[in-house]
Structure formats: C-alpha cells, structure tokens
Amino acid sequence: MKKVEAIIKPFKLDDVREALTEVGITGLTVTEVKGFGRQKGHTETYRGAEYHVDFLPKIKLEIVIQDEHLERCIETIVTHGNTGKIGDGKVFVFDVQRAIRIRTGEENDDAV
C-alpha cells in the first residue's frame, strides 16, 4: 500500500476530487494548510496598510491506496491540479506498513 500526499491550490480541490472519483479512488482526507515554496508569499493592502503574507492557503490531500492504483492516482492529481503557474503544489508518496479499519478490525487492502 502507498500513501499519497498532495499539496494543491484550494480552488483546484473540486476538480481533483471529482477526477479521482471518476478513476475509482473514493476515499481521501482533506486538510486546509498554509505554506510556501517558490511563491514566497505576497503583499496585501488592508485599510491602507501593507501586510506581507508569508504563508499561502493550500489544500493537503491524503490518500491511502493499493500499489496498483498509484500511478493512476498521481497522474489524476497532477493533471487536474495543474494551472501552469508557480505554486501548483507537490505530490509525495510513502510506503504504508499496515492499515486497520477501526470498526471491523479489517487490515491492509481490506481496510482501504
């Protein structure tokens, strides 16, 4: 099993979620996060005062899937999360040693 973590722009969430559902990936966790990479933040003006915003709002997706679905999952996230502009995000892949469904006690592939 693999865990895919993706950081995407907030307005791309619906596109990515719908596309993942279409390819058969239905379970995911979504977290609102803040961060920056090459974007380095930006300056905003509020009531005449300038503020430098270092951390930009992002969405973090976490998906645990069977190995055979990994490439399709990554391809879907990259295709539908892409705007072609700086700050589109990143995808990270981790090995999952064990998964357990709390309600039934099922493990690994059965739990996912």
Side-chain angles (χ1 to χ4, degrees):
M1 291 178 300
K2 301 291 186 206
K3 178 179 182 182
V4 176
E5 288 187 7
I7 308 296
I8 61 172
K9 290 184 175 183
F11 66 89
K12 296 302 283 182
L13 175 59
D14 286 339
D15 293 343
V16 171
R17 185 191 52 78
E18 288 172 11
L20 286 169
T21 300
E22 286 176 15
V23 298
I25 298 169
T26 56
L28 64 116
T29 301
V30 176
T31 309
E32 293 180 7
V33 297
K34 292 184 179 190
F36 70 91
R38 290 188 198 156
Q39 273 181 299
K40 307 261 193 284
H42 63 280
T43 302
E44 290 185 1
T45 303
Y46 177 71
R47 294 190 177 186
E50 268 192 5
Y51 295 94
H52 187 72
V53 180
D54 290 327
F55 296 101
L56 302 171
K58 301 287 182 177
I59 295 293
K60 180 180 178 181
L61 304 176
E62 296 176 89
I63 307 163
V64 177
I65 56 174
Q66 291 90 357
D67 291 348
E68 60 266 18
H69 301 299
L70 178 63
E71 291 306 317
R72 183 174 40 198
C73 178
I74 293 170
E75 181 180 312
T76 301
I77 293 168
V78 170
T79 300
H80 294 275
N82 183 14
T83 67
K85 297 200 166 74
I86 193 167
D88 275 351
K90 300 245 184 336
V91 176
F92 304 97
V93 179
F94 305 92
D95 286 322
V96 174
Q97 299 299 316
R98 188 174 177 195
I100 303 159
R101 185 184 313 264
I102 294 173
R103 180 176 54 86
T104 63
E106 295 169 292
E107 293 198 26
N108 301 325
D109 286 347
D110 294 332
V112 177

